[in-house]
Amino acid sequence: MSYSEHTRGIYQQRLNDIREAGLFKQERFIHSPQAADIEVEFPSGADLKKVINVCANNYLGLSSHPEVVKAAHEGLDTRGYGMSSVRFICGTQDIHRELEKVVTDFLGTEDTILFPSCMDANAGVFEAILTKDDIMISDRLVHASIVDGMRLCNAEHDTYKHGDMEHLEKKLQQFQDKRLRVIINDGVYSMDGDTAKLDEVVRLAEAYDALVFVDDSHASGFIGKTGRGTHEKCGVVGKMDIITTTFGKALGGASGGCVSGRKEIVEMCRQRARPYLFSNAMAPVIISGVLKAFEILKRSTELRDKLEENAHYWRRGLTEAGFILKKGDTPIVPVMLFNAKLSQDFSRDLYGEGIYAIGFFFPVVAKGQARIRTQLSAGHEKHHLDKALEAFSKIGKKYQILGKTEEEIVSMYGL
Ligand SMILES: *Cc1c(COP(=O)(O)O)cnc(C)c1O
């Protein structure tokens, strides 16, 4: 027998270990489109419950936007369902190239190459452009997909302390003998909602002859005055050598990603990036939806402005209620609870009040840093936010944490 009882036992034991460590993730089933109001089955088999979603990456509310849905239908009708090919064999339609041009124009780069996802973009880009004579210097908190991409590349790797420019400068000095240096950052860090200091990163890159890489998955479409991303916010549009981003968050929320940047780097990815060469082309229906998302963004800044307003309103409301928030000015607003079990109980009670928000704890965040990560959307109306604020206050009172300091909460609940 190939899958013997012994083999089964090994996996059952590992799964039990995960359960006992309190790290087992249970999925909730959503029976409606992704939006501010969703219908959820949880736990499995329970009656459907209408809840307000405050933990989606649906920043601009485009996931179920009628214009995006209509454009996707049109894409389906005019370009079919699937490509049945990778890009370089027979998987490139006119609209794939059109989207690459639109992204290039929007991000202010030289060229763009699409990938099935941003995870794939990050998995492919480093190996495609670097050799063992090069060095990748990454911020210590970069996204898991970047970590995996760096693992697949035989360039040397080192890290700098999160957001610490002095430490980054030391590392750049240390590696001056390398052929190429790449400074690797997320634009917005998704767990804390803080932003890379790309202006300072660019200054160091110019001083020490390094390339700048930024993954702007949690920024493209809404950070910066016209939503171009963290480089716009930091005033360094045109100075990014490599931007990776996703279409699975603000930009329609379906899937797909890209590498955008210097044209030789994009061309190297077309020749060498393995997830590009060996995985299917993005489906036409998604390309059409993403094209419409960009058209909506270029028409006006209304959605990102509304998102910004919602984020301010939400931060102010939670702060006045007496919660401890991670500081920041992005639509990612972590409500700090410190204790892992408290974050789970808090999330469960919120759900009881009709609010869907998930607790994060070790190993997703550091030990003693458990939180409910809330994310705002342009799809939220004031009444959604008011109802959610009321629920947070009610549960906060129940656990007696309102107006308390971190020390006080930790002394009540432990780490
Ligand atoms: C979500 C995310 C990704 C993965 O994007 P997909 O397109 O879903 O693969 C990559 N990097 C960062 C920083 C992300 O937040």
Side-chain angles (χ1 to χ4, degrees), residues 342-397:
L342 178 60
S343 75
Q344 294 305 91
D345 293 345
F346 205 101
S347 169
R348 186 200 57 228
D349 289 356
L350 281 174
Y351 188 76
E353 298 293 322
I355 306 302
Y356 187 124
I358 303 293
F360 286 92
F361 48 93
F362 183 79
V364 179
V365 293
K367 277 207 170 99
Q369 289 287 303
R371 65 196 64 183
I372 305 269
R373 181 183 67 173
T374 61
Q375 290 167 282
L376 284 299
S377 169
H380 287 132
E381 302 300 337
K382 282 276 146 54
H383 68 85
H384 293 119
L385 301 183
D386 287 337
K387 180 158 181 234
L389 284 172
E390 204 175 299
F392 265 87
S393 291
K394 180 168 167 189
I395 311 301
K397 261 189 210 119

Side-chain angles (χ1 to χ4, degrees), residues 172-396:
L172 286 165
Q173 286 165 348
Q174 182 185 336
F175 292 109
Q176 278 303 294
D177 59 333
K178 290 287 177 181
R179 187 190 69 148
L180 293 172
R181 288 153 289 284
V182 191
I183 308 169
I184 299 166
N185 323 269
D186 286 10
V188 170
Y189 289 84
S190 59
M191 281 303 140
D192 289 352
D194 60 323
T195 312
K197 303 165 199 142
L198 289 182
D199 45 348
E200 294 179 43
V201 170
V202 164
R203 192 175 50 71
L204 289 174
E206 287 173 349
Y208 294 97
D209 187 21
L211 295 166
V212 179
F213 169 104
V214 63
D215 178 340
D216 235 0
S217 291
H218 281 280
S220 295
F222 58 97
I223 297 288
K225 267 220 157 355
T226 61
R228 274 153 222 274
T230 312
H231 58 327
E232 182 180 30
K233 176 178 171 163
C234 296
V236 286
V237 173
K239 304 252 175 172
M240 297 295 106
D241 301 301
I242 308 156
I243 299 175
T244 62
T245 194
T246 183
F247 308 123
K249 291 186 170 112
L251 300 170
S255 67
C258 67
V259 172
S260 191
R262 303 299 174 193
K263 58 180 190 289
E264 296 79 13
I265 286 174
V266 169
E267 196 53 50
M268 282 304 296
C269 289
R270 268 188 224 287
Q271 302 306 318
R272 290 277 192 267
R274 294 168 70 84
Y276 181 80
L277 296 171
F278 299 113
S279 191
N280 218 33
M282 279 178 70
V285 48
I286 296 175
I287 301 281
S288 303
V290 180
L291 279 169
K292 181 57 74 175
F294 276 108
E295 195 187 304
I296 294 171
L297 292 196
K298 282 198 266 182
R299 214 152 58 202
S300 90
T301 59
E302 188 185 324
L303 290 176
R304 57 87 52 211
D305 295 344
K306 182 173 173 197
L307 172 60
E308 194 168 69
E309 249 169 63
N310 281 348
H312 286 156
Y313 187 79
W314 181 247
R315 272 185 191 279
R316 190 169 348 112
L318 287 175
T319 304
E320 282 170 8
F323 285 98
I324 301 175
L325 308 181
K326 278 269 177 199
K327 282 203 171 47
D329 58 356
T330 68
I332 299 171
V333 183
V335 183
M336 300 307 293
L337 298 171
F338 309 105
N339 174 275
K341 180 166 185 302
L342 178 60
S343 75
Q344 294 305 91
D345 293 345
F346 205 101
S347 169
R348 186 200 57 228
D349 289 356
L350 281 174
Y351 188 76
E353 298 293 322
I355 306 302
Y356 187 124
I358 303 293
F360 286 92
F361 48 93
F362 183 79
V364 179
V365 293
K367 277 207 170 99
Q369 289 287 303
R371 65 196 64 183
I372 305 269
R373 181 183 67 173
T374 61
Q375 290 167 282
L376 284 299
S377 169
H380 287 132
E381 302 300 337
K382 282 276 146 54
H383 68 85
H384 293 119
L385 301 183
D386 287 337
K387 180 158 181 234
L389 284 172
E390 204 175 299
F392 265 87
S393 291
K394 180 168 167 189
I395 311 301

